Amino acid sequence: MVNASKNRKALAYSAMIAGLAWMYLDAGVIPASIAVFGLVLWFVEMASAGLGPVFLDGALARGAAAEAQAFRVLKRAVKKHKGKGRVLKNVLIPNPRSSLGSTEVDVAVFTAAGVFIVEVKGHEGTAVADAKAQEWVIYGRHGVSALRNPVRQLNGQIRAMKNFLRQVGVDVPVYGAVFMPNAEIRRRGYIAYPVYTEARFLPAFTLSKQAGEQKTEPGRIVSLLEEAVSILPAR
């Protein structure tokens, strides 16, 4: 599976094992810190999979829960649609313009009619959605905060996916949407992509294009991504 989560889980296990082994030989601060880092990373990945403990509260847990919700809803929708598609979380797209060599997508749906990218944010409160702003202001119960403009993030992810598909000779459209289930959206100006606050709109977003021309086998795109990501440096 094209899933950055695998890499993080492997790192978490490695850090925990290495830290504990080092602590057995030398009970110092550094090995203990390594073990704690691995444990925290493992908890974060469990939360992302919807298996996290109750005490993982806050923005991080809400973001992980929102991603898991989007994944479940889209997975169920694709399955009802005769299974014609693949739904993945934490997808890595090779991107030479990125300092990491890749761009990560929260949730992606691969169908014969195109690729659908969903940028997920778990922030709570009223978000002022301004397509031109670097950040969106969020008015929450604990005060005012700022969020990196998810529409700009989404635009970069779509551009990276289109460039990759062009390089591998796959001609399918790429669509995008933002999903913020814990927020109320106040739009300011034209927003190029839909911003959903309810999960029930996500299936319609991905399946509305299915009546169009069937351009490729979804599994082929996933395989090409897996092959390309396998040669990327470890993150």
Side-chain angles (χ1 to χ4, degrees):
M1 180 181 290
V2 185
N3 200 324
S5 179
K6 281 188 175 181
N7 295 337
R8 289 194 291 265
K9 285 179 182 176
L11 177 60
Y13 289 134
S14 299
M16 282 191 288
I17 293 171
L20 291 172
W22 194 354
M23 285 175 64
Y24 179 77
L25 299 174
D26 178 17
V29 175
I30 295 178
S33 299
I34 294 174
V36 170
F37 166 76
L39 184 62
V40 171
L41 186 59
W42 180 79
F43 278 136
V44 170
E45 288 309 305
M46 291 300 99
S48 178
L51 302 173
V54 174
F55 61 82
L56 267 180
D57 197 7
L60 186 63
R62 287 194 297 271
E67 285 186 21
Q69 181 186 17
F71 177 78
R72 286 195 303 269
V73 168
L74 289 168
K75 188 87 170 178
R76 193 180 307 122
V78 167
K79 186 176 181 180
K80 287 183 178 179
H81 195 70
K82 301 179 181 179
K84 294 182 179 179
R86 296 282 299 276
V87 184
L88 301 177
K89 282 198 307 178
N90 307 120
V91 179
L92 290 181
I93 307 169
N95 183 6
R97 294 184 178 182
S98 169
S99 59
L100 297 173
S102 63
T103 294
E104 186 172 348
V105 169
D106 290 333
V107 181
V109 182
F110 300 87
T111 75
V115 178
F116 300 82
I117 293 174
V118 181
E119 171 64 19
V120 182
K121 299 295 183 186
H123 296 69
E124 288 184 332
T126 300
V128 180
D130 187 340
K132 296 181 179 180
Q134 292 285 346
E135 297 179 327
W136 288 4
V137 178
I138 299 181
Y139 299 91
R141 57 182 176 176
H142 300 300
V144 181
S145 60
L147 164 68
R148 181 184 172 191
N149 189 334
V151 169
R152 289 196 171 195
Q153 285 184 267
L154 180 63
N155 193 51
Q157 294 163 4
I158 290 174
R159 186 165 56 247
M161 180 65 78
K162 285 182 176 179
N163 289 339
F164 171 76
L165 293 175
R166 191 180 303 114
Q167 291 170 7
V168 296
V170 176
D171 181 22
V172 296
V174 181
Y175 307 95
V178 175
F179 178 50
M180 299 181 67
N182 302 315
E184 177 185 343
I185 306 299
R186 290 183 182 174
R187 291 170 173 80
R188 180 175 293 172
Y190 174 71
I191 306 293
Y193 304 104
V195 181
Y196 299 120
T197 58
E198 296 183 43
R200 61 190 177 94
F201 293 119
L202 292 175
F205 159 66
T206 57
L207 299 180
S208 63
K209 312 292 183 181
Q210 297 304 300
E213 180 183 356
Q214 305 298 290
K215 295 178 176 292
T216 190
E217 172 59 36
R220 179 172 176 244
I221 302 177
V222 175
S223 296
L224 288 169
L225 273 170
E226 287 178 335
E227 182 180 348
V229 169
S230 66
I231 62 176
L232 286 174
R235 296 181 64 172

